[in-house]
Amino acid sequence: MTKDDFNIHDSRLLSQFFENERCKSLAVLKNRLFISRDDAEDIYQDACLALYNNIQNGKLKMLTCSLSTYFTRIYLNIGYNFVNRGKSLTSFAFEHFSLKASYSSMVLPGS
């Protein structure tokens, strides 16, 4: 869908748009930000709600890009804020340090 053929006031089209964007959004969030699927799902839902609210509140009146590009920026901003708060990095750091500890305590054959 382009900015010219999308009627943002039609809820059926908006639902279809969200459905079409879901897989791409989740993949981008997981692969670019290295977050879990559950966290990516939460961020995607927050982004859907943010876009819907922008439409309802009149914040989104005219697009200068595709709706997909606009939505991508919303979910990436939410994702970056999530990562900057350190929520998803906590589990990564825990796994990383746990692995380091297990390697340092390993006894190698012939040692």
Side-chain angles (χ1 to χ4, degrees), residues 7-94:
N7 179 358
I8 58 176
H9 297 289
D10 186 333
S11 62
R12 289 175 298 150
L13 285 177
L14 191 57
S15 294
Q16 181 182 357
F17 170 79
F18 287 140
E19 186 177 319
N20 292 342
E21 292 291 310
R22 186 174 184 277
C23 287
K24 179 188 87 166
S25 303
L26 295 177
V28 168
L29 287 166
K30 290 186 325 185
N31 295 328
R32 190 179 289 184
L33 302 180
F34 305 105
I35 59 176
S36 71
R37 180 167 180 85
D38 289 340
D39 290 338
E41 290 273 1
D42 290 342
I43 291 167
Y44 168 78
Q45 288 295 323
D46 289 348
C48 290
L49 190 58
L51 177 59
Y52 178 79
N53 287 336
N54 287 351
I55 293 167
Q56 294 301 314
N57 297 334
K59 185 176 179 181
L60 178 63
K61 293 180 182 178
M62 187 175 84
L63 288 171
T64 57
C65 60
S66 71
L67 188 62
S68 179
T69 300
Y70 183 82
F71 183 65
T72 298
R73 182 49 32 206
I74 291 173
Y75 69 72
L76 282 176
N77 285 346
I78 294 170
Y80 288 137
N81 287 338
F82 176 81
V83 170
N84 287 337
R85 285 192 317 248
K87 299 277 186 191
S88 64
L89 296 179
T90 304
S91 61
F92 173 78
F94 178 75

